Amino acid sequence: MVPEVAGSDPVDRPIFPDNALRALPFGECIMSAFWNKADFDDHEVVHFVNDRASGLKAIIAIHSTHCGPAAGGTRFWHYEDPAAGMRDALRLSRGMSYKNAMANLPAGGGKAVIMADEARAKTPEMLTAFARAVDELGGKYITAQDVGMSQDDMVALSRATDHVAGLPWEGGDPGPYTARGVFLGVQAAAKRALGTDNMAGIRVAIQGVGSVGGGVARYLADAGAKLTLADVDSGRADQLASKLGGAAVSCDDILAADVDIVCPCALGAILTEQSVEAIKAKVVAGGANNQLATGSEGRMLLERGILYAPDYVINAGGIINVLRHIDQADDEQINARIDLIPGRLESVWAESEASGLPADEVADRMARNIIGR
Ligand code: NAD
């Protein structure tokens, strides 16, 4: 039974005030707030954690455990509206189901958000309370680092639960592994769209040269590609360009650069109707998460004859590394798993060509099939 609650749109109704939570059994609270809402995708379970002593308020969303324990990072973020935190948890956990499925990992999809206050105060007590909540799930959810959580925070969590992946002594920084997978994916895209996987002389524009983009730039430079780089930290792009022998350009120009391949490695939602229209490259393949602003840009790319590498397929190297936690795989095994990324992209592109569906839709369908949806 969905309880009656004042307000016409339950999604916009704050669910955090104590009286609302006390009045509603937890499951019904979630059901009433999100039942039939776009972001609820038959999630198996959504936990709401409210620890009065530490002030911790968190959501742990488990989308699917079909392929194994739900795995995905913990985000520490201040949301204007608690429902936005829930939306993030629901969407991101589904994304993790897809990403883990397409990486052939023995893991399902989950995500946690810790709802930070405006001051973004994070205390050891909050982290311990959160770790205990993860521990109570008995391994059904494995957490990892995400926006707003540091390696030190993850180490702190690991003192109260074993279900933390990506610790410094277990593979550590996922960036270099993600970069290697993205490089292999870019090479596969070049082979399909440009007819060669020899990157010598291929012109690649990289947006964002941090942990992932910087690593991809180094692989590409080693392979002889001609690099154009941009970063909001222009000094960082300049420095890398002079070191690797490329050119640095303004962030405003990078997506529309006159190149063969655009490699977005900064923010999400950078592929909009406007930016896709301006792309001159034949390929978009990069590590940034959630590149399509609304989802419909995948079709635009297809119609413009631009080959798109679905982000969560090409950027899975990091999670492949982090989830060595599950089977204690060594580096050689991790690299062998990352080597499979180009093959997965090729099967997505082949199906896209056969069906006429955009690559992102094909990847979603494949992922849903793997998780039994
Ligand atoms: P990072 O913070 O190390 O690097 C991001 C870089 O992008 C920074 O140098 C930043 O200055 C730059 N940047 C930010 N906004 C920009 C803009 N508008 N234009 C140009 N540059 C901009 O982050 P990262 O770990 O390299 O991650 C990059 C992207 O890859 C993110 O979308 C992240 O979610 C995704 N990703 C990362 C990993 C990983 O293992 N680190 C795994 C999967 C996906």
Side-chain angles (χ1 to χ4, degrees):
M1 183 196 77
V2 177
E4 275 185 37
V5 186
S8 56
D9 183 354
V11 156
D12 294 324
R13 174 170 42 78
I15 58 170
F16 271 72
D18 283 350
N19 55 357
L21 282 174
R22 276 200 222 108
L24 297 177
F26 169 72
E28 290 185 1
C29 173
I30 296 297
M31 295 269 281
S32 68
F34 298 101
W35 184 250
N36 268 347
K37 294 293 170 186
D39 303 317
F40 178 74
D41 178 49
D42 271 336
H43 287 67
E44 287 178 15
V45 63
V46 182
H47 295 269
F48 173 69
V49 187
N50 187 32
D51 183 68
R52 285 171 175 277
S54 66
L56 171 78
K57 293 186 190 310
I59 296 164
I60 302 173
I62 294 180
H63 177 255
S64 168
T65 54
H66 186 83
C67 296
T74 293
R75 182 164 289 195
F76 183 91
W77 194 252
H78 172 65
Y79 294 92
E80 289 298 325
D81 164 8
M86 179 61 92
R87 278 196 286 271
D88 234 8
L90 292 175
R91 283 182 195 171
L92 294 167
S93 59
R94 178 182 55 191
M96 289 311 301
S97 284
Y98 290 7
K99 182 184 269 207
N100 294 340
M102 288 300 275
N104 199 26
L105 290 165
K111 199 87 183 183
V113 297
I114 296 178
M115 319 283 286
D117 63 13
E118 270 184 50
R120 290 163 175 77
K122 192 197 286 168
T123 63
E125 291 76 19
M126 283 168 71
L127 292 178
T128 303
F130 178 71
R132 282 205 200 104
V134 171
D135 202 58
E136 276 168 19
L137 301 180
K140 195 170 179 182
Y141 169 62
I142 298 172
T143 194
Q145 196 175 341
D146 195 64
V147 178
M149 294 290 280
S150 67
Q151 273 280 295
D152 285 350
D153 294 336
M154 302 318 289
V155 172
L157 295 184
S158 75
R159 292 193 195 106
T161 180
D162 289 337
H163 309 301
V164 182
L167 291 162
W169 52 89
E170 247 187 14
D173 181 9
Y177 297 89
T178 305
R180 182 164 171 272
V182 170
F183 167 69
L184 296 174
V186 165
Q187 219 176 5
K191 188 170 180 190
R192 188 169 187 92
L194 310 172
T196 178
D197 58 1
N198 177 355
M199 300 306 290
I202 303 286
R203 300 165 305 157
V204 187
I206 304 180
Q207 180 187 47
V209 288
S211 176
V212 175
V216 176
R218 280 182 277 274
Y219 278 113
L220 284 167
D222 284 348
K226 254 184 103 187
L227 299 178
T228 305
L229 310 176
D231 199 295
V232 282
D233 180 347
S234 58
R236 184 179 277 182
D238 287 340
Q239 229 174 6
L240 198 64
S242 66
K243 189 171 166 200
L244 301 179
V249 299
S250 140
C251 289
D252 295 338
D253 300 330
I254 191 76
L255 292 179
D258 189 11
V259 292
D260 305 301
I261 298 173
V262 165
C263 181
C265 293
L267 305 175
I270 43 88
L271 297 173
T272 61
E273 203 180 317
Q274 211 183 5
S275 68
V276 169
E277 201 56 55
I279 289 174
K280 297 189 185 78
K282 284 264 162 262
V283 172
V284 175
N289 275 317
N290 305 318
Q291 291 169 33
L292 304 177
T294 68
S296 62
E297 300 80 9
R299 178 157 291 285
M300 282 187 68
L301 288 162
L302 179 73
E303 285 168 0
R304 290 213 51 222
I306 298 169
L307 186 69
Y308 173 63
D311 42 33
Y312 63 83
V313 184
I314 193 172
N315 73 15
I319 193 74
I320 290 172
N321 169 55
V322 162
L323 289 186
R324 71 171 76 206
H325 177 83
I326 293 177
D327 65 353
Q328 303 303 315
D330 61 23
D331 248 12
E332 197 178 329
Q333 291 166 304
I334 295 301
N335 278 322
R337 290 171 194 173
I338 293 173
D339 286 344
L340 301 176
I341 289 175
R344 278 198 201 99
L345 287 168
E346 276 151 19
S347 59
V348 168
W349 293 326
E351 178 60 26
S352 169
E353 189 174 300
S355 64
L357 289 171
D360 60 298
E361 277 182 42
V362 169
D364 287 358
R365 283 178 184 219
M366 286 179 168
R368 293 187 74 80
N369 192 30
I370 294 169
I371 65 172
R373 299 283 174 104

